[in-house]
Amino acid sequence: MKELPVVITDFTNLANQKWRIVNDDVMGGLSKSHFQINSEGHAVFLGEISLKNNGGFASVRNQEPLNLVGFDAIRLTLKGDGNRYSFRLKPDANSSNPAYWYEHRFETKKDQWSEIILPLNAFGASYRGRKPEDAPQLDLRNISHFGFLISDKQSGEFRLEIKKIDALPLLNT
């Protein structure tokens, strides 16, 4: 029997979700972003990236625990704007790697819906925009946050519409 994907969020129960914006203004940057639900019930992460004052990033994150053991990949159903984004996972403070975010970058197609598959074994450690050497593997048992980031010196307006985030089970279970 084939295992079905498990929905992480389809944005129908926002009252129980803890989404929060974190932009480069925490370091003096001038980027702005918003996170909202549109009339179709999809999440929309939008704003403008400014490279002034050493800025250049915007992010939205959900503080909701996940256990991804037994899963092979994250599937994102979204409509892009042609920019490059990262989907990010942050281990719990009690894990062996609490300082790092683990991210997988992906390209979007302007005004087109896509299903993007991000293999969990391809997520790489990141600390304040840098790739640390000798970072431990992502602890799939204790994810405390997940979310999206736009960075990489992509200035200007952005808009990412997200219909659903789900976890795909291992193929050999």
Side-chain angles (χ1 to χ4, degrees), residues 108-124:
T108 64
K109 295 175 184 166
K110 185 169 179 55
D111 300 325
Q112 290 185 27
W113 283 101
S114 302
E115 280 193 355
I116 297 174
I117 308 296
L118 307 174
L120 288 168
N121 64 4
F123 277 69

Side-chain angles (χ1 to χ4, degrees), residues 46-67:
L46 73 162
E48 186 171 358
I49 300 297
S50 170
L51 302 180
K52 293 180 180 173
N53 292 354
N54 295 316
F57 76 87
S59 70
V60 61
R61 57 181 72 162
N62 186 327
Q63 185 175 344
E64 194 171 342
L66 295 175
N67 180 341

Side-chain angles (χ1 to χ4, degrees), residues 7-20 35 37 41 43 60-65 146 148 162-165:
V7 174
I8 293 172
T9 185
D10 60 6
F11 305 99
T12 56
N13 194 6
L14 270 184
N16 292 336
Q17 297 181 32
K18 300 172 183 119
W19 289 94
R20 177 172 89 114
F35 186 76
I37 302 300
V60 61
R61 57 181 72 162
N62 186 327
Q63 185 175 344
E64 194 171 342
F146 60 92
F148 294 90
I162 309 126
K163 182 176 183 180
K164 185 167 55 170
I165 303 168

Side-chain angles (χ1 to χ4, degrees), residues 81-125:
D81 57 6
N83 284 315
R84 183 177 47 260
Y85 292 85
S86 295
F87 184 74
R88 306 173 63 187
L89 301 168
K90 182 157 180 50
D92 168 287
N94 295 323
S95 76
S96 62
N97 47 3
Y100 302 134
W101 280 88
Y102 287 76
E103 64 183 10
H104 195 302
R105 293 179 181 185
F106 61 92
E107 301 287 334
T108 64
K109 295 175 184 166
K110 185 169 179 55
D111 300 325
Q112 290 185 27
W113 283 101
S114 302
E115 280 193 355
I116 297 174
I117 308 296
L118 307 174
L120 288 168
N121 64 4
F123 277 69

